[in-house]
Amino acid sequence: MPHPDQPLTNDDDEEPLLDEDEEDLLDWASMAELYAVGYIRILADAIERGDADLQVDPVAWENTLTAAEGAMWEHIRGRLHGPTAITVEDVERVRRLRGLGSAALLGGERSPELGALALRCMESLFGPDWQRAARKAAFYARALNQEFHPRSGTE
């Protein structure tokens, strides 16, 4: 064991904390949850304002929320840990939100349940600090959405 005043080193005989697959899973899950909360926030804000354009690409929404559901299952299985304890009910809420959001993004009904459900899903992923996390995530999601799904330029 090194002296307390000496910096810790990663000697060749020490095993890393996470193997490469676990590290990749953690990175993937973190990004999926971050972008999911960003898209949820963007959609919820647009619906609350009554915007005609909900500002989220339907394919990005579907893919991102599906990935977030997968990440949430990894929390339940104990392979990932985050700021909250994810439950099966949390995954079911995100799945319901994904379906309702997809319908709205494709021009269908904007369920009155969407707003409250969106808030609950963001809270289940990021805990009591969900508002700060959602603002930051929405910024990143807008940038990603614009990069991969740019608007036609006409409004």
Side-chain angles (χ1 to χ4, degrees), residues 45-56:
D45 288 349
I47 287 173
E48 185 177 306
R49 289 188 305 266
D51 295 353
D53 179 4
L54 296 178
Q55 304 175 18
V56 177

mmCIF file with all atom_site columns, all heavy atoms in Angstrom, residues 45-56:
data_model
loop_
_atom_site.group_PDB
_atom_site.id
_atom_site.type_symbol
_atom_site.label_atom_id
_atom_site.label_alt_id
_atom_site.label_comp_id
_atom_site.label_asym_id
_atom_site.label_entity_id
_atom_site.label_seq_id
_atom_site.pdbx_PDB_ins_code
_atom_site.Cartn_x
_atom_site.Cartn_y
_atom_site.Cartn_z
_atom_site.occupancy
_atom_site.B_iso_or_equiv
_atom_site.pdbx_formal_charge
_atom_site.auth_seq_id
_atom_site.auth_comp_id
_atom_site.auth_asym_id
_atom_site.auth_atom_id
_atom_site.pdbx_PDB_model_num
ATOM 1  N N   . ASP A 1 45 ? -41.965 20.760 -22.718 1.00 0.00 ? 45 ASP A N   1
ATOM 2  C CA  . ASP A 1 45 ? -42.028 22.225 -22.809 1.00 0.00 ? 45 ASP A CA  1
ATOM 3  C C   . ASP A 1 45 ? -42.839 22.664 -24.030 1.00 0.00 ? 45 ASP A C   1
ATOM 4  O O   . ASP A 1 45 ? -43.648 23.587 -23.945 1.00 0.00 ? 45 ASP A O   1
ATOM 5  C CB  . ASP A 1 45 ? -40.629 22.830 -22.876 1.00 0.00 ? 45 ASP A CB  1
ATOM 6  C CG  . ASP A 1 45 ? -39.884 22.760 -21.544 1.00 0.00 ? 45 ASP A CG  1
ATOM 7  O OD1 . ASP A 1 45 ? -40.510 22.431 -20.512 1.00 0.00 ? 45 ASP A OD1 1
ATOM 8  O OD2 . ASP A 1 45 ? -38.663 23.021 -21.553 1.00 0.00 ? 45 ASP A OD2 1
ATOM 9  N N   . ALA A 1 46 ? -42.624 22.010 -25.169 1.00 0.00 ? 46 ALA A N   1
ATOM 10 C CA  . ALA A 1 46 ? -43.339 22.375 -26.400 1.00 0.00 ? 46 ALA A CA  1
ATOM 11 C C   . ALA A 1 46 ? -44.840 22.110 -26.250 1.00 0.00 ? 46 ALA A C   1
ATOM 12 O O   . ALA A 1 46 ? -45.660 22.923 -26.685 1.00 0.00 ? 46 ALA A O   1
ATOM 13 C CB  . ALA A 1 46 ? -42.774 21.607 -27.594 1.00 0.00 ? 46 ALA A CB  1
ATOM 14 N N   . ILE A 1 47 ? -45.195 21.015 -25.632 1.00 0.00 ? 47 ILE A N   1
ATOM 15 C CA  . ILE A 1 47 ? -46.608 20.706 -25.426 1.00 0.00 ? 47 ILE A CA  1
ATOM 16 C C   . ILE A 1 47 ? -47.227 21.704 -24.448 1.00 0.00 ? 47 ILE A C   1
ATOM 17 O O   . ILE A 1 47 ? -48.324 22.205 -24.671 1.00 0.00 ? 47 ILE A O   1
ATOM 18 C CB  . ILE A 1 47 ? -46.789 19.246 -24.952 1.00 0.00 ? 47 ILE A CB  1
ATOM 19 C CG1 . ILE A 1 47 ? -46.528 18.308 -26.139 1.00 0.00 ? 47 ILE A CG1 1
ATOM 20 C CG2 . ILE A 1 47 ? -48.169 19.018 -24.364 1.00 0.00 ? 47 ILE A CG2 1
ATOM 21 C CD1 . ILE A 1 47 ? -46.517 16.842 -25.790 1.00 0.00 ? 47 ILE A CD1 1
ATOM 22 N N   . GLU A 1 48 ? -46.503 22.011 -23.382 1.00 0.00 ? 48 GLU A N   1
ATOM 23 C CA  . GLU A 1 48 ? -47.016 22.974 -22.396 1.00 0.00 ? 48 GLU A CA  1
ATOM 24 C C   . GLU A 1 48 ? -47.272 24.343 -23.028 1.00 0.00 ? 48 GLU A C   1
ATOM 25 O O   . GLU A 1 48 ? -48.258 25.001 -22.723 1.00 0.00 ? 48 GLU A O   1
ATOM 26 C CB  . GLU A 1 48 ? -46.021 23.103 -21.246 1.00 0.00 ? 48 GLU A CB  1
ATOM 27 C CG  . GLU A 1 48 ? -46.519 23.981 -20.119 1.00 0.00 ? 48 GLU A CG  1
ATOM 28 C CD  . GLU A 1 48 ? -45.535 24.035 -18.968 1.00 0.00 ? 48 GLU A CD  1
ATOM 29 O OE1 . GLU A 1 48 ? -45.148 22.959 -18.474 1.00 0.00 ? 48 GLU A OE1 1
ATOM 30 O OE2 . GLU A 1 48 ? -45.156 25.154 -18.574 1.00 0.00 ? 48 GLU A OE2 1
ATOM 31 N N   . ARG A 1 49 ? -46.381 24.751 -23.947 1.00 0.00 ? 49 ARG A N   1
ATOM 32 C CA  . ARG A 1 49 ? -46.553 26.043 -24.628 1.00 0.00 ? 49 ARG A CA  1
ATOM 33 C C   . ARG A 1 49 ? -47.610 25.976 -25.725 1.00 0.00 ? 49 ARG A C   1
ATOM 34 O O   . ARG A 1 49 ? -48.050 27.000 -26.221 1.00 0.00 ? 49 ARG A O   1
ATOM 35 C CB  . ARG A 1 49 ? -45.225 26.494 -25.255 1.00 0.00 ? 49 ARG A CB  1
ATOM 36 C CG  . ARG A 1 49 ? -44.168 26.928 -24.276 1.00 0.00 ? 49 ARG A CG  1
ATOM 37 C CD  . ARG A 1 49 ? -42.974 27.549 -25.007 1.00 0.00 ? 49 ARG A CD  1
ATOM 38 N NE  . ARG A 1 49 ? -42.415 26.660 -26.017 1.00 0.00 ? 49 ARG A NE  1
ATOM 39 C CZ  . ARG A 1 49 ? -41.393 25.828 -25.825 1.00 0.00 ? 49 ARG A CZ  1
ATOM 40 N NH1 . ARG A 1 49 ? -40.803 25.761 -24.658 1.00 0.00 ? 49 ARG A NH1 1
ATOM 41 N NH2 . ARG A 1 49 ? -40.963 25.061 -26.810 1.00 0.00 ? 49 ARG A NH2 1
ATOM 42 N N   . GLY A 1 50 ? -47.964 24.765 -26.153 1.00 0.00 ? 50 GLY A N   1
ATOM 43 C CA  . GLY A 1 50 ? -48.927 24.600 -27.240 1.00 0.00 ? 50 GLY A CA  1
ATOM 44 C C   . GLY A 1 50 ? -48.305 24.769 -28.609 1.00 0.00 ? 50 GLY A C   1
ATOM 45 O O   . GLY A 1 50 ? -48.999 25.074 -29.581 1.00 0.00 ? 50 GLY A O   1
ATOM 46 N N   . ASP A 1 51 ? -46.997 24.546 -28.714 1.00 0.00 ? 51 ASP A N   1
ATOM 47 C CA  . ASP A 1 51 ? -46.299 24.690 -29.988 1.00 0.00 ? 51 ASP A CA  1
ATOM 48 C C   . ASP A 1 51 ? -46.809 23.675 -31.015 1.00 0.00 ? 51 ASP A C   1
ATOM 49 O O   . ASP A 1 51 ? -47.069 22.512 -30.674 1.00 0.00 ? 51 ASP A O   1
ATOM 50 C CB  . ASP A 1 51 ? -44.794 24.457 -29.819 1.00 0.00 ? 51 ASP A CB  1
ATOM 51 C CG  . ASP A 1 51 ? -44.111 25.499 -28.951 1.00 0.00 ? 51 ASP A CG  1
ATOM 52 O OD1 . ASP A 1 51 ? -44.768 26.494 -28.567 1.00 0.00 ? 51 ASP A OD1 1
ATOM 53 O OD2 . ASP A 1 51 ? -42.924 25.311 -28.639 1.00 0.00 ? 51 ASP A OD2 1
ATOM 54 N N   . ALA A 1 52 ? -46.914 24.106 -32.249 1.00 0.00 ? 52 ALA A N   1
ATOM 55 C CA  . ALA A 1 52 ? -47.279 23.183 -33.330 1.00 0.00 ? 52 ALA A CA  1
ATOM 56 C C   . ALA A 1 52 ? -46.128 22.213 -33.594 1.00 0.00 ? 52 ALA A C   1
ATOM 57 O O   . ALA A 1 52 ? -46.339 21.023 -33.807 1.00 0.00 ? 52 ALA A O   1
ATOM 58 C CB  . ALA A 1 52 ? -47.627 23.962 -34.597 1.00 0.00 ? 52 ALA A CB  1
ATOM 59 N N   . ASP A 1 53 ? -44.898 22.736 -33.596 1.00 0.00 ? 53 ASP A N   1
ATOM 60 C CA  . ASP A 1 53 ? -43.697 21.929 -33.813 1.00 0.00 ? 53 ASP A CA  1
ATOM 61 C C   . ASP A 1 53 ? -43.184 21.471 -32.449 1.00 0.00 ? 53 ASP A C   1
ATOM 62 O O   . ASP A 1 53 ? -42.820 22.295 -31.611 1.00 0.00 ? 53 ASP A O   1
ATOM 63 C CB  . ASP A 1 53 ? -42.627 22.755 -34.532 1.00 0.00 ? 53 ASP A CB  1
ATOM 64 C CG  . ASP A 1 53 ? -41.332 21.999 -34.768 1.00 0.00 ? 53 ASP A CG  1
ATOM 65 O OD1 . ASP A 1 53 ? -41.254 20.786 -34.451 1.00 0.00 ? 53 ASP A OD1 1
ATOM 66 O OD2 . ASP A 1 53 ? -40.384 22.622 -35.266 1.00 0.00 ? 53 ASP A OD2 1
ATOM 67 N N   . LEU A 1 54 ? -43.163 20.172 -32.239 1.00 0.00 ? 54 LEU A N   1
ATOM 68 C CA  . LEU A 1 54 ? -42.732 19.646 -30.943 1.00 0.00 ? 54 LEU A CA  1
ATOM 69 C C   . LEU A 1 54 ? -41.213 19.553 -30.804 1.00 0.00 ? 54 LEU A C   1
ATOM 70 O O   . LEU A 1 54 ? -40.707 19.155 -29.764 1.00 0.00 ? 54 LEU A O   1
ATOM 71 C CB  . LEU A 1 54 ? -43.386 18.289 -30.682 1.00 0.00 ? 54 LEU A CB  1
ATOM 72 C CG  . LEU A 1 54 ? -44.910 18.350 -30.558 1.00 0.00 ? 54 LEU A CG  1
ATOM 73 C CD1 . LEU A 1 54 ? -45.486 16.961 -30.341 1.00 0.00 ? 54 LEU A CD1 1
ATOM 74 C CD2 . LEU A 1 54 ? -45.328 19.294 -29.452 1.00 0.00 ? 54 LEU A CD2 1
ATOM 75 N N   . GLN A 1 55 ? -40.473 19.891 -31.849 1.00 0.00 ? 55 GLN A N   1
ATOM 76 C CA  . GLN A 1 55 ? -39.028 20.098 -31.815 1.00 0.00 ? 55 GLN A CA  1
ATOM 77 C C   . GLN A 1 55 ? -38.177 18.861 -31.539 1.00 0.00 ? 55 GLN A C   1
ATOM 78 O O   . GLN A 1 55 ? -37.023 18.975 -31.166 1.00 0.00 ? 55 GLN A O   1
ATOM 79 C CB  . GLN A 1 55 ? -38.676 21.187 -30.803 1.00 0.00 ? 55 GLN A CB  1
ATOM 80 C CG  . GLN A 1 55 ? -39.374 22.495 -31.055 1.00 0.00 ? 55 GLN A CG  1
ATOM 81 C CD  . GLN A 1 55 ? -39.100 23.506 -29.971 1.00 0.00 ? 55 GLN A CD  1
ATOM 82 O OE1 . GLN A 1 55 ? -38.160 23.390 -29.206 1.00 0.00 ? 55 GLN A OE1 1
ATOM 83 N NE2 . GLN A 1 55 ? -39.927 24.522 -29.906 1.00 0.00 ? 55 GLN A NE2 1
ATOM 84 N N   . VAL A 1 56 ? -38.740 17.682 -31.698 1.00 0.00 ? 56 VAL A N   1
ATOM 85 C CA  . VAL A 1 56 ? -37.976 16.447 -31.527 1.00 0.00 ? 56 VAL A CA  1
ATOM 86 C C   . VAL A 1 56 ? -38.259 15.567 -32.727 1.00 0.00 ? 56 VAL A C   1
ATOM 87 O O   . VAL A 1 56 ? -39.412 15.371 -33.101 1.00 0.00 ? 56 VAL A O   1
ATOM 88 C CB  . VAL A 1 56 ? -38.363 15.712 -30.226 1.00 0.00 ? 56 VAL A CB  1
ATOM 89 C CG1 . VAL A 1 56 ? -37.613 14.397 -30.102 1.00 0.00 ? 56 VAL A CG1 1
ATOM 90 C CG2 . VAL A 1 56 ? -38.113 16.576 -28.999 1.00 0.00 ? 56 VAL A CG2 1
#
